[in-house]
Amino acid sequence: MALPRAGGRKRLAGGSRLADCSAIAVSLAENPRRMPTSSLISYAHVGKTFDGGRGANRVVAVDDVSLDVAEGEFLAVVGGSGSGKTTLLRLANRLIDADEGHITVEGEDVRNVDPIGLRRRIGYVFQSGGLFPHLSVAGNIGITPKLLGWPADEIAARVDELVDLVRLDRAQHRDRLPHELSGGQRQRVGVARALAAKPRIVLMDEPFGALDPLTRDALGDDYRELHRRLGLTTVMITHDMTEAMLLADRIAIMRGGRLLAQGTPAELSDSSDAYVGELLRTPRRQAERLGALLPRDGAA
Amino acid sequence: MNLFADPRWSEALGHLPDYLGNHVRVSVTALALGLAVSLPLAIAARNRRVLRGALLGLASIVQTVPGLALLALFYPLLLALAAVSLSWFGFGFSAFGFLPAVLALALYSMLPVLRNTITGLQGVDAAILEAAQGVGMTPLQSLFTVELPLALPVMMAGIRTAAVWVIGTATLSTPIGQTSLGNYIFAGLQTQNWVFVLFGCLSAAVLALTVDQLLALIENGLRNRSRMRATFGGAGIAVLVAATLVPAMTRSQTTYIIGAKTFAEQYVLSALMAQRLRAAGLSASSREGLGSNVIFGALAANDIDVYVDYSGTLWANQFQRSDIRPRQEVLNELKTMLAKQNITLLGELGFENAYALVMPRKRAEQLGIRSIADLAPHAAGMSMAADYEFFSRPEWAGLKKAYGLSFRAQRQMQPDFMYAAAASGEVDVIAGYTSDGLIAKYDLVVLADPRHAIPPYDAMVLLAPRRAGDAALRAALQPLLGKIDIAVMREANLRAAGNDATSSPDAVAKWLWEKIGTK
């Protein structure tokens, strides 16, 4: 509890990283459960079962998953539908509570943290934006700072900063409503909203899935750059192995609620698991075919 | 077409501040109460399936009860509650007029508000709800900054429907003692004053449309974040309410309230009493169009001060007596029974308004019918019509028993149309009123009742408990007692049934006073 209460507000208002580090050090000493690594998010033997309602079958969405995300890392979680990857993401900011195991975020067991405060200090990018249709671009971006009680002029300044950051046009887009934007612009607003309260962690739920390839590519590159520049820790859910390999530092592969493998692309290619091999084969084959089809100088 | 040159338009206009003011007050209060109850209920029920089903089911059932019946039901309910409250907690409240009208109308307004609020809130995309949670909103913040704003258009449509329903249905609150624009309609129907009926309908429609448009303005302002439009709409409603409160504030509180039931004779007599009170320097106002069951309770509870009732009605309805007694005995016994409730029987007016079987004179002569006994053998081939209550009254049971009457068909009718129906042969026999002027107008004949199956129906003036010792009131009404005979009353009623300026209850009452005052 020490971190969000003591450090959270001050950090968000002032943007000082130093305050955070000392807060972590304090919570480290207080909380013996925290693992002595630099991992910012840590899953230890986590399980989640959905009841499914009266008469329906119980569904094991996440089954004994252990996974660490280091500070500054960009992790992609890859899996098909029903693999449990989205559930895994939602467990981190307590949109869902785990049945088994422990999840720690910034050194604290999330079960001991107020979920509202937790969500406010973790950025979350939703599938196809999840923007509030009745709020303008500025209203959407500024929502978390507003919930945190920032003064209006600070929110306005932060919104301007973020509109620039995600490469939208202040004059043109700031006061538009979401339905007046293109899909790519909406997703840029979604990213800006996630970053508004200056989080250290950003969770992304298939953020670029619904976009056309060109927009997707541009947005992915832009986000990768933001991730690096702002020193973020990012967990991205995707079903697209190519996207995962191009953007992420490390990839975790899930199927049927279980974590099959994790590692860099090179490490994964050593995996003996058939499903992992199959997932890696697709981008490799695509790359080979594209290489053969496109003349070298035209590919650029 | 000098339709609008009719002086009744200006008379109608004269009542407008009072009727409209009361109408707006009762509708706005009912709507506010309805919203205050329905909105939190709808919000609480939006994620609870069982509660949601129960609420919507209940509200739907309420909606199927006709407005008039719902309003009428609240009167006895509150009367009982008031009695309980008086005996348990030592304070009572008036079950008459405003309170039952507000409660019934509020209940009536609930369905559209509940249904649209629940539908609107459930229509919010699940992805948006998750986003609200994900950015760190508490459930309340999500409700107020996301869910309600997104559900607003659907909710406002429900509120607007409720407003129009309430304003329309409020016209039916007249019979339970709440003055409303319905006073025009009830009085107009009873005295065949179509100008009043039209005026009442038009003004209620204009009021409903105005409120609907003001609400639309507020909705529009809220949706487009235009503070000016929302303020404009809100100010419009505030002005409407304020404007209707002003006349009520300036009205004197010491007024004598004179009750009248829902037929022309009662309107004339209440106008006559009001004129007498004013002539004596007392202030008087009328509460007209009261239901037959409501008016006696209202007098006993001091909600009205004076009205004219009929001995047979009290005998059968209020005291549940079905035995037929000689006239003087009935009067004496009534006096004692009324005194037990602290009601003063001031005296009889001099005429009877009894039920009587009535048929066209020519037909009666053809068949040689002079009394109900003569009618009985022909009844099986005849049809009969009566007002809405006659067939469930003890007189009818008494008549059937005494003469063995059984008609081929029985119909219920608006009393004013009954006589014309008999004259045209639409029905053969009607249960008319002996003091009705239409009997002479249509050349009908009253059949004799040799077995005295119908009790006496002397018109008599009753005073509320709090006016028992009021000498000024007694003195003002004294000149009327015993002065109005059946012939005069019939002529007065015939005049009141006319459809022109001289047929207003006020004008007829003036004529009546000239006629009897000089005797």
Side-chain angles (χ1 to χ4, degrees), chain A:
Chain A
M1 282 317 266
L3 172 63
R5 290 273 182 263
R9 180 69 182 278
K10 206 193 295 172
R11 168 168 58 89
L12 294 164
S16 155
R17 268 293 161 75
L18 237 70
D20 272 345
C21 298
S22 59
I24 289 177
V26 168
S27 74
L28 232 171
E30 283 173 355
N31 192 343
R33 196 181 283 143
R34 190 187 123 76
M35 287 191 294
T37 65
S38 62
S39 67
L40 215 50
I41 305 172
S42 158
Y43 297 87
H45 303 290
V46 173
K48 176 69 190 175
T49 305
F50 288 109
D51 196 355
R54 228 177 303 162
N57 289 331
R58 288 162 64 84
V59 178
V60 180
V62 173
D63 187 4
D64 191 28
V65 169
S66 295
L67 177 67
D68 287 324
V69 187
E71 174 150 24
E73 189 178 28
F74 194 138
L75 176 82
V77 181
V78 181
S81 41
S83 64
K85 58 186 193 302
T86 302
T87 305
L88 191 73
L89 193 73
R90 289 176 186 180
L91 287 168
N93 73 344
R94 286 192 62 187
L95 284 174
I96 301 173
D97 281 321
D99 300 330
E100 292 157 36
H102 296 286
I103 301 163
T104 51
V105 169
E106 291 177 324
E108 276 187 293
D109 190 322
V110 292
R111 239 173 301 185
N112 303 328
V113 178
D114 166 39
I116 303 293
L118 181 70
R119 290 175 202 143
R120 288 177 186 175
R121 62 190 162 91
I122 296 179
Y124 202 110
V125 182
F126 293 87
Q127 214 168 352
S128 64
L131 300 182
F132 302 121
H134 60 301
L135 297 183
S136 67
V137 166
N140 267 288
I141 295 176
I143 191 79
T144 307
K146 196 175 162 193
L147 294 172
L148 286 164
W150 290 22
D153 53 338
E154 264 182 51
I155 296 177
R158 180 67 181 152
V159 167
D160 282 338
E161 195 183 334
L162 284 161
V163 168
D164 295 346
L165 201 63
V166 298
R167 301 217 259 169
L168 288 170
D169 187 82
R170 279 192 201 181
Q172 223 189 334
H173 300 121
R174 202 181 185 284
D175 297 317
R176 293 264 185 98
L177 287 173
H179 71 87
E180 297 168 311
L181 303 176
S182 72
Q185 288 168 338
R186 276 205 287 274
Q187 207 50 276
R188 284 176 189 275
V189 176
V191 170
R193 183 174 69 182
L195 296 176
K198 303 186 178 172
R200 297 170 71 196
I201 299 172
V202 176
L203 307 176
M204 304 174 101
D205 183 5
E206 303 203 33
F208 312 127
L211 303 175
D212 67 85
L214 273 181
T215 313
R216 185 176 181 163
D217 205 32
L219 209 52
D221 284 350
D222 281 357
Y223 181 75
R224 172 78 220 182
E225 171 59 20
L226 282 176
H227 167 84
R228 192 191 56 76
R229 184 144 50 101
L230 301 177
L232 300 170
T233 302
T234 301
V235 180
M236 179 180 78
I237 298 294
T238 180
H239 57 262
D240 183 343
M241 194 59 170
T242 312
E243 182 180 66
M245 290 173 84
L246 291 175
L247 294 178
D249 302 321
R250 225 154 51 88
I251 296 168
I253 295 175
M254 286 193 72
R255 190 185 196 189
R258 300 192 68 93
L259 183 66
L260 293 185
Q262 53 172 313
T264 61
E267 285 166 3
L268 285 179
S269 60
D270 294 338
S271 167
S272 57
D273 189 280
Y275 181 67
V276 175
E278 195 182 313
L279 280 180
L280 286 171
R281 204 170 306 133
T282 313
R284 190 174 287 144
R285 206 172 45 219
Q286 279 178 346
E288 282 165 5
R289 288 201 64 193
L290 287 171
L293 286 169
L294 295 167
R296 265 219 178 278
D297 47 355

